[in-house]
Amino acid sequence: MLSVLLICILAAVAITACGKENTPPQPDNSAAVSQPEANPSNGNEGQGNAARESSGQGAGPDSEQAPAANNPQKGSSAADKAAAADPHSIAVLVNKELALPEDYEPSDLVYPDVRFTFKEKIEKRMMRSEAAKALEEMFAGAERDGIYLAGVSAYRSHSTQTSLFNRYVARDGEEKAKTYSAVPGHSEHETGLAIDISASDGKCAAEDCFGGTKEAEWLAQHSAEYGFIIRYPEGKEAITGYKYEPWHLRYVGKEIAADIFERDITLEEYYDAVPVSGTP
Ligand SMILES: [Zn+2]
């Protein structure tokens, strides 16, 4: 609990330093979640996927370590550092140690005009406008190559993540809940810049078996052309804090995506940030 508070305080300090308004963390007891949420043990698309995909192997005792704070090491420019800590930036860095402010909510969420694995116009179908436009271009580019993709889960509000996490804590206790669900403020889906993608048939949605499919291969090879990265690559678990997730795409813009793709690095490494956790 102390470490969570520290993270919030440090994030608040960093954000204030780059001129963004910020209010002190407030308890969020909102239970206003209208969308159905699947049990994490089943295979349906939905919140259950979030729980499963969030079960980073690094979320053991390491999660109790003191936060590393927003202090990317030498090599990052001042502008880079500001972007990494700015929740409004498309280049914001969010991980198990760096949180979004509790009151952050994207102001430009839209429904991207692409196929999803469900029909409803609900929260998890939304993305920030720039990312949504890039997603539409990426899906169109994939189709030109005969690859048919579908969105599984994109935006998730802080209150949704909080409700979800609190429910898991009530059921399993905080320590166990942390092993399979992201702590509120630490899920990249809260940025409106991340989306889980599957093949159009929805098979292996947000599951390990998506790896190695032609859709996953296409995304790994071409997503950077549209400004997306595979956020949790294979073999980088000790740096990202998450196991390999070939389905989790993060929009960072074409420039940063191209650099990350060419150098075969992670967003943490791009910022020269310290590893998120020790041994996964
Ligand atoms: Zn995801």
Side-chain angles (χ1 to χ4, degrees):
M1 204 54 211
L2 185 59
S3 65
V4 173
L5 279 171
L6 278 169
I7 290 164
C8 292
I9 290 162
L10 286 163
V13 168
I15 287 146
T16 303
C18 32
K20 296 294 172 188
E21 287 184 3
N22 194 66
T23 53
Q26 298 165 348
D28 183 354
N29 297 319
S30 169
V33 180
S34 57
Q35 67 189 87
E37 284 161 5
N39 184 294
S41 63
N42 73 27
N44 295 335
E45 58 87 15
Q47 296 297 334
N49 295 327
R52 183 167 54 249
E53 79 170 67
S54 297
S55 59
Q57 299 169 20
D62 289 333
S63 62
E64 292 303 317
Q65 287 176 352
N70 275 334
N71 59 342
Q73 305 298 303
K74 56 189 176 298
S76 295
S77 71
D80 275 348
K81 289 178 188 175
D86 179 359
H88 302 275
S89 169
I90 58 160
V92 64
L93 179 59
V94 175
N95 57 31
K96 286 183 176 175
E97 293 188 350
L98 301 175
L100 289 164
E102 291 223 5
D103 60 350
Y104 176 68
E105 200 173 291
S107 59
D108 56 352
L109 291 169
V110 298
Y111 292 106
D113 185 17
V114 301
R115 183 189 302 105
F116 271 77
T117 55
F118 54 91
K119 298 287 183 208
E120 300 85 354
K121 278 204 162 184
I122 50 178
E123 181 184 277
K124 66 180 181 178
R125 198 183 187 101
M126 304 182 95
M127 292 190 87
R128 290 187 59 188
S129 59
E130 184 178 332
K133 187 169 181 290
L135 187 77
E136 291 168 358
E137 290 168 3
M138 182 165 75
F139 274 45
E143 291 203 12
R144 285 194 292 275
D145 289 343
I147 299 294
Y148 297 87
L149 304 170
V152 175
S153 185
Y155 176 62
R156 193 178 307 141
S157 69
H158 188 73
S159 65
T160 297
Q161 187 69 27
T162 301
S163 300
L164 187 66
F165 186 72
N166 286 348
R167 197 175 318 151
Y168 292 147
V169 169
R171 189 184 65 190
D172 291 333
E174 185 169 343
E175 287 310 306
K176 188 176 177 192
K178 277 175 159 178
T179 66
Y180 62 81
S181 178
V183 173
H186 294 268
S187 170
E188 237 194 7
H189 287 272
E190 292 178 46
T191 66
L193 298 167
I195 180 169
D196 300 331
I197 296 175
S198 75
S200 59
D201 61 9
K203 282 180 187 166
C204 292
E207 291 185 50
D208 291 342
C209 56
F210 181 62
T213 63
K214 63 182 190 295
E215 292 82 10
E217 292 298 321
W218 190 93
L219 287 168
Q221 287 305 312
H222 298 283
S223 59
E225 297 163 24
Y226 302 90
F228 287 88
I229 57 170
I230 305 295
R231 181 67 178 86
Y232 309 117
E234 195 163 21
K236 300 279 190 174
E237 292 87 348
I239 296 169
T240 65
Y242 284 94
K243 65 183 172 60
Y244 178 40
E245 292 190 359
W247 61 84
H248 181 105
L249 281 287
R250 161 65 196 273
Y251 182 73
V252 292
K254 288 182 182 176
E255 194 178 327
I256 294 175
D259 190 29
I260 285 175
F261 177 78
E262 282 161 20
R263 294 161 63 195
D264 194 21
I265 57 172
T266 62
L267 194 55
E268 278 80 14
E269 291 167 294
Y270 176 79
Y271 286 123
D272 288 334
V274 296
V276 168
S277 60
T279 309

